[in-house]
């Protein structure tokens, strides 16, 4: 199932409103929310997922008339925070933002303490973004980068990732397979520290979303060389970057995505209220502009669409993980 099938359109909002009326004004819904809501971000502050969540949280606070708090819970390549969210009370006051790496996690993480499809109730997809190949500012172009990492002195060139089994790790392994260049994969506890080390010259490269590297790129401390995918991004700031397909790497069709979920058995009335508020936030031009600056194309869904999407992504990327040689560890 392609994420491109889920743009936010007026009919989506109208359908959601109709569903709202059909559900009826239950007392529990009328009272919700009556205290602050927490969104768990399974990464350190400063990365793309953190930045995206903060944009949404600010707008949700206005719509729900309650503080929406971003709670960073890094660790375990993004799995510590998600496990905590899965075990939280299903009352709508603890949510989580999840991404691609969480659905294929069983293929790369042994004894995962949660099940993405079983332990969560879908709310809505938030948006998608291609992965960007970032390098140091001294790199001139893609061909120059390949030449510099093909025969480095002192062993394989170091490529950062956001943790073993993360999307940046999987894309790095796929890139290594496609280019037939061996890299020393260096895991970090999130995107922000990985990007800092890239700017400092401690690693040669890093696959991340634009949001993770935009500030250092603007400061001239890192360079964006190319994006994953088959066609150029619709986000203005990314349009000038060539795709991996254009550069001859046909199998680098990868997109990062983000979705909001709640613990399993969270009441339907609560998740629907949250979904409608999120769709409203995602239709706000100010939010769209901020997300575009982060390289994110907004895409909203129904709960059933998101459930099907999570299932299809899980199957697709578990197969890919096996194909690039990743095993549960």
């Amino acid at each position: 199932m392609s994420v491109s099938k889920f743009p936010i359109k007026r009919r989506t909002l109208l359908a959601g409103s109709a569903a709202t009326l059909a559900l009826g004004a239950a007392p529990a819904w009328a009272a919700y929310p009556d205290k602050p809501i927490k969104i768990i971000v399974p990464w350190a502050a400063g990365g793309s997922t953190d930045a995206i969540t903060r944009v949404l949280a600010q707008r949700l606070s206005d719509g729900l008339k309650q503080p929406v708090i971003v709670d960073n819970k890094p660790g375990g390549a993004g799995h510590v925070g998600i496990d905590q969210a899965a075990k939280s009370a299903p009352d709508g006051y603890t949510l989580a933002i999840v991404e691609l790496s969480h659905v294929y996690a069983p293929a790369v993480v042994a004894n995962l303490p949660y099940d993405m499809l079983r332990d969560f109730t879908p709310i809505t997809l938030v948006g998608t973004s291609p992965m960007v190949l970032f390098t140091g500012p001294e790199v001139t172009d893609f061909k120059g980068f390949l030449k510099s990492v093909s025969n480095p002195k002192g062993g394989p060139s170091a490529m950062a990732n956001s943790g073993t089994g993360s999307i940046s790790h999987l894309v790095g392994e796929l890139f290594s397979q496609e280019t037939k260049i061996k890299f020393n994969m260096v895991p970090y506890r999130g995107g922000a520290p990985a990007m800092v080390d890239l700017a400092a010259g401690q690693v040669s490269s890093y696959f991340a979303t634009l949001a993770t590297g935009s500030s250092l790129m603007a400061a001239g401390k890192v360079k964006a060389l190319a994006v994953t995918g088959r066609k150029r991004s619709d986000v203005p700031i990314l349009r000038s970057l060539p795709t991996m397909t254009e550069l001859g790497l046909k199998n680098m069709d990868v997109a990062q995505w983000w979705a909001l979920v709640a613990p399993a058995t969270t009441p339907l009335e609560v998740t629907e209220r949250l979904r409608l508020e999120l769709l409203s936030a995602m239709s706000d031009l100010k939010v769209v502009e901020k997300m575009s600056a982060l390289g994110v194309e907004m895409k909203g869904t129904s709960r059933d669409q998101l459930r099907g999407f999570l299932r299809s992504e899980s199957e697709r990327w578990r197969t890919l993980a096996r194909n690039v040689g990743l095993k549960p560890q």
Side-chain angles (χ1 to χ4, degrees):
M1 188 180 297
S2 170
V3 292
S4 63
K5 295 181 180 178
F6 304 134
I8 298 177
K9 295 184 179 179
R10 181 172 178 81
R11 64 173 177 268
T12 304
L13 296 175
L14 291 175
S17 298
T20 302
L21 294 174
L23 287 168
W29 189 343
Y32 176 85
D34 59 5
K35 62 181 180 180
I37 296 168
K38 176 173 65 176
I39 302 178
I40 292 179
V41 175
W43 306 104
S48 58
T49 304
D50 176 70
I52 290 164
T53 308
R54 290 181 188 278
V55 172
L56 290 177
Q58 182 177 358
R59 179 61 172 72
L60 277 176
S61 293
D62 296 337
L64 294 170
K65 309 302 181 186
Q66 287 289 342
V68 178
I69 301 163
V70 176
D71 187 13
N72 296 91
K73 296 289 183 182
H79 301 302
V80 170
I82 299 305
D83 181 45
Q84 180 174 322
K87 294 176 171 59
S88 298
D91 55 9
Y93 291 99
T94 299
L95 312 176
I97 187 162
V98 297
E99 54 196 66
L100 176 55
S101 62
H102 295 115
V103 296
Y104 69 68
V108 295
V109 180
N111 302 316
L112 195 67
Y114 65 88
D115 185 306
M116 191 68 246
L117 301 178
R118 180 196 65 206
D119 295 336
F120 289 97
T121 296
I123 299 176
T124 182
L125 189 68
V126 171
T128 67
S129 176
M131 298 294 286
V132 180
L133 173 60
F134 287 100
T135 66
E138 73 286 351
V139 176
T140 55
D141 55 26
F142 186 71
K143 288 184 178 179
F145 169 70
L146 291 184
K147 184 178 180 180
S148 69
V149 297
S150 294
N151 296 293
K153 296 179 181 178
S157 179
M159 177 181 284
N161 63 63
S162 302
T164 301
S166 65
I167 179 59
S168 57
H169 180 202
L170 182 58
V171 174
E173 294 286 1
L174 184 58
F175 183 76
S176 176
Q177 185 180 80
E178 289 292 295
T179 59
K180 297 180 172 55
I181 298 173
K182 182 175 177 56
F183 289 88
N184 176 25
M185 300 295 177
V186 183
Y188 287 81
R189 288 174 60 86
M195 194 61 73
V196 168
D197 267 13
L198 175 62
Q202 299 299 311
V203 294
S204 70
S205 50
Y206 176 38
F207 276 98
T209 56
L210 176 68
T212 302
S214 57
S215 60
L216 288 174
M217 185 175 73
K221 294 183 178 180
V222 300
K223 178 176 286 188
L225 288 189
V227 297
T228 57
R230 298 187 183 280
K231 68 181 186 70
R232 296 206 178 195
S233 173
D234 291 331
V235 176
I237 196 171
L238 293 175
R239 284 177 188 159
S240 64
L241 295 179
T243 68
M244 292 290 175
T245 299
E246 290 177 55
L247 296 169
L249 303 181
K250 305 298 184 182
N251 295 316
M252 296 289 293
D253 186 16
V254 181
Q256 174 64 295
W257 51 259
W258 298 268
L260 262 292
V261 297
T265 73
T266 298
L268 175 61
E269 295 88 349
V270 171
T271 57
E272 182 64 4
R273 171 73 191 280
L274 289 165
R275 190 182 75 88
L276 293 177
E277 288 294 345
L278 282 162
L279 291 180
S280 177
M282 292 157 61
S283 298
D284 187 311
L285 289 180
K286 291 183 179 179
V287 173
V288 173
E289 289 175 0
K290 290 178 180 179
M291 290 295 195
S292 181
L294 295 172
V296 179
E297 184 179 354
M298 306 294 285
K299 297 179 187 291
T301 63
S302 70
R303 293 184 305 277
D304 286 343
Q305 284 175 326
L306 178 54
R307 184 177 289 107
F309 175 70
L310 294 175
R311 187 175 295 110
S312 65
E313 283 288 274
S314 175
E315 294 170 358
R316 176 192 178 195
W317 291 100
R318 288 189 198 189
T319 299
L320 192 149
R322 288 195 299 270
N323 290 344
V324 299
L326 293 179
K327 297 179 180 179
Q329 54 182 284

